[in-house]
Amino acid sequence: MHRPIAVFDAGIGSYAVVAEIRSRLPQQDIIYFADRASFPYGGKNRAELIGVMRRTIEYLAGFDPSAIVIASNAPSIMVLEELSQDIHLPLFGVYPPLREAWGLSRSGRVGIMGVQSLVESPMISEFVAENSAYSERVALINASPMVELVESGEFLFAPERTQEAVDAFLTEVFAKYPEIDVLTLSSTHLPWLRRFFEHARPQCHFLDPAKDMVSRIGQGTKGQGKIRALVTEDERYDLATFRKMLSAIGVDIPLEPVQPY
């Protein structure tokens, strides 16, 4: 591989970012690291996240990457700025497409769906204030139960139960925030549920931040368009299930199991 871009998060969510890079930069070599043993990022506090991010970035730096993408909203918002101060590699994060949400909204009420640690952090409130003139009109919504539907594979192997869970979740959201007409999918797991969200609430826009993130990478580093997939596992999230999940979404790449570190 020639100066690959390394992309990681705590599971299958980051593959959507890998696919977007591959589409936009077809000759870019990519290290895809699915750290399922660290799932969920959303259940970790700031100190725990910093520890996981430092270990992961140090590990991926051994592959001589041209850049590293933290393909997860929670650490991007909560710890990326601090990490960037002493890591001498280009780091990219994923952020809620809030300005795009405002451009689409007719009601003037939008929401950010993310994991619990993100929506309860002071950093996301600061992000909203910096990117919105009406921060009081932005709802911060804990969608952690939806993330589990993805990492467990239920969205692929039990679509009817998944739709029922999504319907119930959005019923609660709109009972509390009836005027919202745009929601950002601010966990990289959530775009995998987009069709379920849209089925439950077709009049609402659901925004995926992956395209915006990949556009910030620039022209990348030309290689042969290879993807090397590294995966950690534990008793909750095993390699066989992960392989089955990728096959179900039409992805056929060799998986290299690596030990949690």
Side-chain angles (χ1 to χ4, degrees):
M1 284 190 157
H2 174 64
R3 304 300 313 280
I5 292 175
V7 180
F8 77 94
D9 83 337
I12 196 172
S14 56
Y15 188 78
V17 174
V18 171
E20 188 63 29
I21 294 173
R22 195 175 196 184
S23 174
R24 186 173 177 274
L25 303 171
Q27 291 185 287
Q28 176 67 55
D29 292 334
I30 301 169
I31 296 287
Y32 166 40
F33 180 40
D35 188 13
R36 303 188 84 211
S38 295
F39 181 84
Y41 288 165
K44 295 174 171 56
N45 61 36
R46 177 177 168 80
E48 291 170 331
L49 269 181
I50 288 177
V52 171
M53 294 300 106
R54 288 194 187 280
R55 290 195 301 271
T56 304
I57 290 168
E58 181 180 346
Y59 171 67
L60 292 174
F63 295 92
D64 190 29
S66 59
I68 295 177
V69 176
I70 301 175
S72 176
N73 288 258
S76 296
I77 291 284
M78 296 172 65
V79 302
L80 180 54
E81 183 176 355
E82 179 174 338
L83 292 171
S84 298
Q85 294 174 5
D86 57 3
I87 292 175
H88 304 294
L89 273 170
L91 297 179
F92 294 89
V94 182
Y95 302 92
L98 190 52
R99 293 179 181 176
E100 183 183 356
W102 282 121
L104 288 171
S105 178
R106 294 186 176 184
S107 68
R109 302 281 178 174
V110 303
I112 294 174
M113 291 199 298
V115 294
Q116 183 174 1
S117 62
L118 174 67
V119 300
E120 293 181 356
S121 72
M123 287 71 74
I124 189 64
S125 298
E126 293 169 7
F127 175 85
V128 170
E130 291 169 1
N131 290 273
S132 173
Y134 307 100
S135 55
E136 71 280 2
R137 299 182 184 178
V138 181
L140 302 176
I141 299 164
N142 178 13
S144 291
M146 299 291 96
V147 172
E148 176 60 31
L149 290 173
V150 176
E151 200 57 44
S152 67
E154 189 158 348
F155 80 113
L156 293 168
F157 309 131
E160 292 184 1
R161 285 204 307 270
T162 298
Q163 188 66 64
E164 290 173 1
V166 169
D167 290 349
F169 173 75
L170 286 185
T171 296
E172 291 185 10
V173 168
F174 285 99
K176 188 173 182 180
Y177 306 108
E179 296 181 348
I180 285 177
D181 59 358
V182 183
L183 284 164
T184 73
L185 303 176
S186 294
S187 159
T188 43
H189 287 75
L190 294 178
W192 294 111
L193 298 176
R194 187 170 185 169
R195 65 184 178 93
F196 297 99
F197 288 133
E198 291 176 338
H199 184 271
R201 196 79 179 185
Q203 65 271 46
C204 186
H205 293 282
F206 295 91
L207 300 183
D208 180 355
K211 291 183 183 294
D212 176 70
M213 189 287 299
V214 173
S215 71
R216 289 186 275 113
I217 290 176
Q219 296 306 307
T221 48
K222 187 178 293 186
Q224 300 181 55
K226 295 180 179 179
I227 297 179
R228 184 176 179 186
L230 312 173
V231 186
T232 63
E233 61 176 337
D234 63 15
E235 64 278 2
R236 304 167 303 159
Y237 305 110
D238 61 275
L239 185 64
T241 299
F242 190 68
R243 185 176 284 114
K244 184 179 178 183
M245 289 165 65
L246 289 177
S247 177
I249 61 174
V251 176
D252 182 18
I253 52 177
L255 300 179
E256 300 177 39
V258 297
Q259 292 299 314
Y261 43 89

